[in-house]
Amino acid sequence: MVQVTNNSPSAGYIAWKDCNISYKGTVYPIPDGNTNLTYVYWKFSDPDGFYGSNAYPTLAADDLLVFLNKNGIHLKVPNTSVLDGSLIVPESIYADALAANIITTEHLMAGAVTTNKLSAGAVTANTIAADAIGATAIAADAILSEHIQANQIIAEHLAVNSVTARVIAADAIGAEAIAANAVLAEHIKAGTITTNHISSSGIDVSKVINAATSTQISQINTRITDQDGVISQKATQTSVNLLTNRMTTAEGKITTQAGQIDLKVDRDGVIAAINLQPGTITIDARLVNIADTTNLVDNSTFEDDVVGSKPKGWDGGLTVSQATWGSNTGSNNAMQIDASNIRNTDIVQEKFIEVAAGDQLYLEMDYRNLNLLGSGGMYIGTKNYDAKKQHIGWGAVTAITTKTTSFKKQSGTYTIPANVRYVQIRVTFSNNGETTNKLYVDNLIVRRKNNADLIVEGAITANHLAANSITAANGALANASITRAKLQDAIIGTAQIEDGTITNAKIGNLAVDNAKISGLSANKLNAGYINGIDVYGAKFRSSDGMTNLEIVGGNVRLTQSGGSYVNMNPDGVYGYNSSGSERFRMDKGLITSAALGTSNSNVYLAPDSANEVRVVDLSSIPSDGIAENYSYRPIRVQGVRFAPNGNGYLGTEGEIRITSSGFQQPDGSYVYRALRAGNIYGTSFISTTTNAYIGADNEVRFVNKGFIDGDVSTPTYRPLRCGDISSGHIASHSGNMYVGSDDEVRIVSRGGYNGGNITWRNLRANLVYANAVDIQNGTHLYLRPTSGGEAKVTATGTTGDFRPIRARTFTTDTSMRENKKDIEVFSEDSLDIFRNAQIYTYRRLNDDPFAFKQLGMMIDETPRILHGEAGDSFDLYALTAYMGKGIKDIITITDKHSDDINWLKIENQYLKQKVKQLEDRLGAA
């Protein structure tokens, strides 16, 4: 009988012992334990212990809520009855026991919900009606960058003059954010645009007024004062930082109107939907969470889990303590995920989260590894389902592949794809290629990112935006949202214009007049071409003066500042070092270069039809053209292709040797390399070393000459004649395989007979067909199933048709006291079991109808202790011992009967004496 004690082992705890759950014909013993959690429940899917939680658990049809812990006082839930409301103890109903929307406006007293009833983050996007938040409802600096989704704040949401330099982050405004013709001359400070801001070819002739003279062009100033409407440009961070005094302020309170806010308060209040009346409540800005900070992960810190158990609400993993770790997250527990070398390990939360396509989830976790081994990635993500909760895919942030033994943080945003309606949160340790490593995770966070549907148009003013909250990265500025009206006069100075920003398209025709030009350098002149007849002069110089081109005698000479030069004339091109020595040449007789290439397709070396391409020592040139009179050099290429549709020939007067790239070694030896080919034709094969190796991914086959892999014909296999065959695998090419011998087939070491000194080896097979199994040496014969298996004797070709086994005796593995532990005297009464159990005759389901009937018992009428480990048959040793216990119980009864009989005999003798005395007295009378 289960025993439950209150406030044990300490205040607030309940403890239980001797508890069993009997369900569907099976009794599940529950380990003794205790908890300070509110709900204690049993799960049929994991029946060997209790679970505990402070939140009311989600129970399946076969699960059971067992105890309720009320501050150390237990209640056995299966024994409770339905209570009338008057019998409920005051303040005994927790807020989370109330269903959503059960408490409506009429249940609340006027003014009952005040600011202090709302916990931080209690008002989420789901609890605020569309257009419910006006400007007066948002406190100064309440809205941060991370609260805003990309492209969610549009022009209508911004109050006039609300965007100032204070709220725009560096590089937040890109060119696409500026409306066409939004930047006028009055927005640009005098002297702002320099030559660095003008892109190459940015000013064409249409931008220059005819009044500009050649003198003015040669002396153009680096400063351009632009006219109104002439330049459309991209504002950078600095330009926006100059915007000041352009935003208004707003109050930091929310005055909610009737029916506008449907909100949810925390446990200190009541979980319900509250329709507030005008003026009944003001909400401090710290309680407004437009970004919805609700963590969608249940049991994200594993603090309530028992170390060594599976974390509650997850389909796998192991709870481990990190309290003694040098690197920890500061909490007690973490979840462990073991590495695998055959598959990804996905640990999935059981809870389903409803989502919609386009929703954005922010995911974050702390992680570390046991060691740095393996190649598996680690990440937090989702398991995706359709509207019918059918699994359709996976989602995740970018995987981490670099291992670490110190806790680090991974985070990212995941956008829900089309057709996904539900997700489950998961943590994955992908195939690691090894199994010693472990992934530890803690502090899992998944939050929704909300859109702008909850914000009243024009409600966000300057003081609602935190400094630098509008950035290019968060996409808070819609394209073309900054118009002329948003820019102060002369707000854009030189520092606000990125180099190369002002292109030809940004400058109006004839906008650059004489007044704008004080000097013009050659790299700013785009004239198309210069007309001329003859040019007389000594040199053409580069813009930096470091290189010049001149005509010297019969050569065109290009000279560099270091003194090296190139001469070009009708005979060729010649390069010289500054000392005058030849650097390279290219003429009819010789081309010298470190490389020869082409920018087209192929490179052709083209001798005439009677000659060849030769690679010779440079010192051999020139010579007489006779092959023997040259010193030849190696040629190194990736591959050699011969002429199409023909054979390739390697001609030599000796051998063709495939060696290392060094050819002959200094000691005269060679390092030979492999040859790979489809077919090798030759009269013999000779190894260069002691052994010869033929390597194959599958088989080495000896077939008829001319047969190659892929032929549609059937090969004719040829014999192999040799002294010995040493092989890791020998297989028949069809049907059965026959090993012929006039006596025995013996499995021995690779040394074979070895002069009679035989070393025997093991034989491993799926099935062995033989008439007998004899011992090779030693005394005993062993049948070795796995630790959880059995040795079974069945009919040939079956696994369930059991056959008798005949032996002289059947002996258990041991009955010696010193080989046993946990020894206890079995004291249960066995006679009731024997009294209630029936003895049957029967045939098995697969027996012949006329087969001999067996005599036996049924395990469903007997206690579990008599059954084998599998639970489907009797343990004969246990049954024999149990019968011995039955005999002992009978002996106890017969001993008692013997005592009773002896007493009866004594009483009988005594009565006989009394009767005799009575008879004697009657006779005497």
Side-chain angles (χ1 to χ4, degrees), residues 436-600:
T436 65
N437 210 344
K438 302 180 188 301
L439 170 64
Y440 304 106
V441 298
D442 195 12
N443 299 327
L444 307 180
I445 297 175
V446 176
R447 294 191 177 108
R448 297 182 191 269
K449 285 190 171 183
N450 295 310
N451 56 34
D453 292 342
L454 306 180
I455 303 174
V456 177
E457 294 182 358
I460 299 177
T461 58
N463 63 339
H464 295 136
L465 300 174
N468 297 324
S469 61
I470 298 179
T471 67
N474 67 12
L477 289 177
N479 289 343
S481 62
I482 298 180
T483 60
R484 293 183 184 180
K486 309 299 185 198
L487 300 174
Q488 296 176 356
D489 291 346
I491 192 63
I492 299 176
T494 300
Q496 277 71 56
I497 303 177
E498 184 179 2
D499 290 351
T501 296
I502 301 178
T503 62
N504 183 53
K506 308 295 186 187
I507 304 175
N509 291 337
L510 303 180
V512 182
D513 58 15
N514 292 344
K516 307 300 187 296
I517 303 173
S518 62
L520 180 66
S521 59
N523 65 341
K524 297 297 187 293
L525 182 62
N526 183 7
Y529 62 91
I530 299 176
N531 284 330
I533 302 173
D534 292 313
V535 177
Y536 296 89
K539 295 181 180 179
F540 290 91
R541 297 182 183 276
S542 63
S543 60
D544 59 3
M546 305 298 288
T547 307
N548 65 76
L549 180 68
E550 60 182 329
I551 299 175
V552 180
N555 294 312
V556 176
R557 177 174 294 180
L558 179 67
T559 305
Q560 292 183 330
S561 60
S564 59
Y565 61 95
V566 174
N567 283 345
M568 182 174 63
N569 58 49
D571 292 329
V573 178
Y574 304 86
Y576 298 92
N577 297 310
S578 58
S579 63
S581 60
E582 186 176 88
R583 191 172 186 176
F584 69 88
R585 64 184 291 182
M586 182 174 61
D587 58 24
K588 182 179 179 181
L590 180 66
I591 298 175
T592 59
S593 176
L596 178 63
T598 178
S599 60
N600 296 318

Side-chain angles (χ1 to χ4, degrees), residues 726-762:
S726 298
S727 172
H729 174 69
I730 300 176
S732 171
H733 70 271
S734 63
N736 298 317
M737 180 177 179
Y738 297 88
V739 179
S741 173
D742 289 334
D743 196 353
E744 300 175 355
V745 175
R746 300 186 175 186
I747 311 297
V748 299
S749 65
R750 291 193 298 174
Y753 181 69
N754 194 25
N757 298 317
I758 298 173
T759 301
W760 301 98
R761 298 302 189 202
N762 300 329

Side-chain angles (χ1 to χ4, degrees), residues 271-528:
I271 295 180
I274 305 175
N275 296 319
L276 300 174
Q277 301 301 321
T280 60
I281 183 169
T282 56
I283 302 176
D284 191 275
R286 66 183 180 84
L287 300 176
V288 180
N289 181 7
I290 298 177
D292 190 355
T293 58
T294 302
N295 190 357
L296 302 179
V297 182
D298 288 347
N299 191 17
S300 63
T301 62
F302 318 107
E303 292 302 283
D304 293 332
D305 292 317
V306 178
V307 172
S309 67
K310 177 173 68 67
K312 295 184 290 294
W314 296 84
D315 69 354
L318 182 70
T319 304
V320 295
S321 173
Q322 57 168 316
T324 61
W325 293 356
S327 172
N328 57 53
T329 63
S331 60
N332 293 320
N333 297 340
M335 180 168 70
Q336 171 184 305
I337 304 174
D338 294 337
S340 171
N341 61 355
I342 59 173
R343 61 178 178 82
N344 295 345
T345 303
D346 300 300
I347 306 302
V348 182
Q349 184 173 274
E350 297 171 355
K351 182 181 76 173
F352 284 87
I353 302 171
E354 187 172 2
V355 295
D359 284 357
Q360 289 186 317
L361 299 180
Y362 171 79
L363 302 98
E364 177 183 301
M365 70 174 180
D366 294 333
Y367 73 95
R368 60 161 286 186
N369 299 97
L370 176 64
N371 55 54
L372 304 180
L373 301 179
S375 59
M378 305 158 287
Y379 43 85
I380 181 173
T382 61
K383 186 175 183 180
N384 297 341
Y385 298 84
D386 61 14
K388 298 180 179 180
K389 293 188 178 179
Q390 300 296 314
H391 179 217
I392 58 174
W394 305 85
V397 297
T398 303
I400 307 162
T401 56
T402 302
K403 305 297 189 300
T404 176
T405 56
S406 299
F407 268 106
K408 294 186 177 181
K409 192 176 298 294
Q410 183 198 30
S411 65
T413 298
Y414 173 65
T415 301
I416 302 299
N419 301 324
V420 175
R421 286 292 304 280
Y422 298 93
V423 298
Q424 290 176 303
I425 305 304
R426 53 123 176 177
V427 180
T428 293
F429 193 178
S430 63
N431 189 332
N432 200 46
E434 64 88 52
T435 60
T436 65
N437 210 344
K438 302 180 188 301
L439 170 64
Y440 304 106
V441 298
D442 195 12
N443 299 327
L444 307 180
I445 297 175
V446 176
R447 294 191 177 108
R448 297 182 191 269
K449 285 190 171 183
N450 295 310
N451 56 34
D453 292 342
L454 306 180
I455 303 174
V456 177
E457 294 182 358
I460 299 177
T461 58
N463 63 339
H464 295 136
L465 300 174
N468 297 324
S469 61
I470 298 179
T471 67
N474 67 12
L477 289 177
N479 289 343
S481 62
I482 298 180
T483 60
R484 293 183 184 180
K486 309 299 185 198
L487 300 174
Q488 296 176 356
D489 291 346
I491 192 63
I492 299 176
T494 300
Q496 277 71 56
I497 303 177
E498 184 179 2
D499 290 351
T501 296
I502 301 178
T503 62
N504 183 53
K506 308 295 186 187
I507 304 175
N509 291 337
L510 303 180
V512 182
D513 58 15
N514 292 344
K516 307 300 187 296
I517 303 173
S518 62
L520 180 66
S521 59
N523 65 341
K524 297 297 187 293
L525 182 62
N526 183 7

Side-chain angles (χ1 to χ4, degrees), residues 517-741:
I517 303 173
S518 62
L520 180 66
S521 59
N523 65 341
K524 297 297 187 293
L525 182 62
N526 183 7
Y529 62 91
I530 299 176
N531 284 330
I533 302 173
D534 292 313
V535 177
Y536 296 89
K539 295 181 180 179
F540 290 91
R541 297 182 183 276
S542 63
S543 60
D544 59 3
M546 305 298 288
T547 307
N548 65 76
L549 180 68
E550 60 182 329
I551 299 175
V552 180
N555 294 312
V556 176
R557 177 174 294 180
L558 179 67
T559 305
Q560 292 183 330
S561 60
S564 59
Y565 61 95
V566 174
N567 283 345
M568 182 174 63
N569 58 49
D571 292 329
V573 178
Y574 304 86
Y576 298 92
N577 297 310
S578 58
S579 63
S581 60
E582 186 176 88
R583 191 172 186 176
F584 69 88
R585 64 184 291 182
M586 182 174 61
D587 58 24
K588 182 179 179 181
L590 180 66
I591 298 175
T592 59
S593 176
L596 178 63
T598 178
S599 60
N600 296 318
S601 299
N602 301 312
V603 174
Y604 295 90
L605 300 178
D608 61 36
S609 60
N611 291 291
E612 52 194 31
V613 175
R614 299 177 180 177
V615 179
V616 301
D617 195 300
L618 180 62
S619 62
S620 301
I621 295 184
S623 187
D624 54 9
I626 299 174
E628 288 80 1
N629 294 336
Y630 292 88
S631 296
Y632 292 90
R633 307 304 303 150
I635 183 169
R636 184 176 296 213
V637 295
Q638 184 181 26
V640 177
R641 290 190 177 96
F642 294 98
N645 303 319
N647 297 318
Y649 296 89
L650 301 176
T652 180
E653 302 301 329
E655 301 174 351
I656 294 177
R657 299 184 177 186
I658 300 176
T659 69
S660 64
S661 58
F663 303 142
Q664 189 176 31
Q665 303 299 305
D667 61 359
S669 64
Y670 293 89
V671 177
Y672 290 97
R673 299 304 191 201
L675 169 64
R676 182 173 295 198
N679 295 299
I680 299 178
Y681 294 86
T683 57
S684 65
F685 176 80
I686 302 173
S687 172
T688 61
T689 58
T690 304
N691 299 315
Y693 298 88
I694 301 177
D697 289 334
N698 195 3
E699 302 171 349
V700 175
R701 300 182 179 185
F702 294 90
V703 299
N704 55 297
K705 186 167 62 176
F707 181 87
I708 61 175
D709 195 22
D711 280 1
V712 296
S713 60
T714 301
T716 301
Y717 289 93
R718 300 304 191 197
L720 170 65
R721 181 172 296 188
C722 59
D724 294 313
I725 297 178
S726 298
S727 172
H729 174 69
I730 300 176
S732 171
H733 70 271
S734 63
N736 298 317
M737 180 177 179
Y738 297 88
V739 179
S741 173

Side-chain angles (χ1 to χ4, degrees), residues 859 862-873 875 878:
I859 64 170
T862 57
R864 179 66 177 85
I865 198 170
L866 299 181
H867 309 161
E869 291 184 5
D872 60 351
S873 62
D875 183 328

